[in-house]
Amino acid sequence: QVQLVESGGGLVQTGGSLRLSCAASGSLFSGDAMSWYRQAPGKQRELVARIFITSGVTTNYADSVKGRFTISRDSAKKTVYLQMNSLKSEDTAVYYCNLRGPLRGLEVWGQGTLVTVSS
């Protein structure tokens, strides 16, 4: 069974940077995609960015993070990263890692990591 473990959240000042990591245990396959979502207090969970594990193709960047956030992966380490630059107070949220394996009907969520941006 695949499990996801996120790390890298914390407190940062406006304009600062953080890098989140999401490490997957278990096997990953072609067609699997890993994504970062976030949920701010009182708001719905939203997709931040998605990357396909095998090809490295990235998609679905939220408009609010384009040009500031970058998703990437290290296939050998089965780890996905979210580099967040020029952070704003509105980026404050719990960030969740998600894995979807459509060919095997798999969807897994991480436990979440809190990012707090202070002004």
Side-chain angles (χ1 to χ4, degrees):
Q1 184 175 357
V2 178
Q3 293 184 323
L4 303 175
V5 178
E6 300 119 328
S7 61
L11 175 65
V12 64
Q13 291 187 331
T14 300
S17 298
L18 279 176
R19 188 177 80 156
L20 306 182
S21 300
C22 174
S25 63
S27 299
L28 301 179
F29 296 91
S30 177
D32 287 354
M34 292 181 71
S35 306
W36 286 99
Y37 286 76
R38 68 184 181 183
Q39 188 166 19
K43 295 189 176 180
Q44 290 188 331
R45 191 172 297 189
E46 66 170 347
L47 175 63
V48 176
R50 174 169 292 140
I51 189 166
F52 289 90
I53 295 301
T54 301
S55 66
V57 172
T58 62
T59 66
N60 301 108
Y61 278 102
D63 288 342
S64 58
V65 307
K66 285 179 181 176
R68 299 188 298 122
F69 291 11
T70 303
I71 190 170
S72 63
R73 97 292 192 218
D74 184 327
S75 298
K77 294 182 179 179
K78 294 186 290 185
T79 299
V80 170
Y81 305 97
L82 185 68
Q83 178 67 42
M84 305 185 293
N85 298 327
S86 302
L87 283 161
K88 306 175 181 180
S89 57
E90 51 263 44
D91 295 318
T92 295
V94 178
Y95 284 71
Y96 296 91
C97 183
N98 171 275
L99 167 66
R100 286 186 184 171
L103 298 180
R104 49 191 167 138
L106 178 70
E107 182 167 27
V108 181
W109 289 92
Q111 81 284 359
T113 184
L114 177 63
V115 172
T116 303
V117 184
S118 66
S119 56

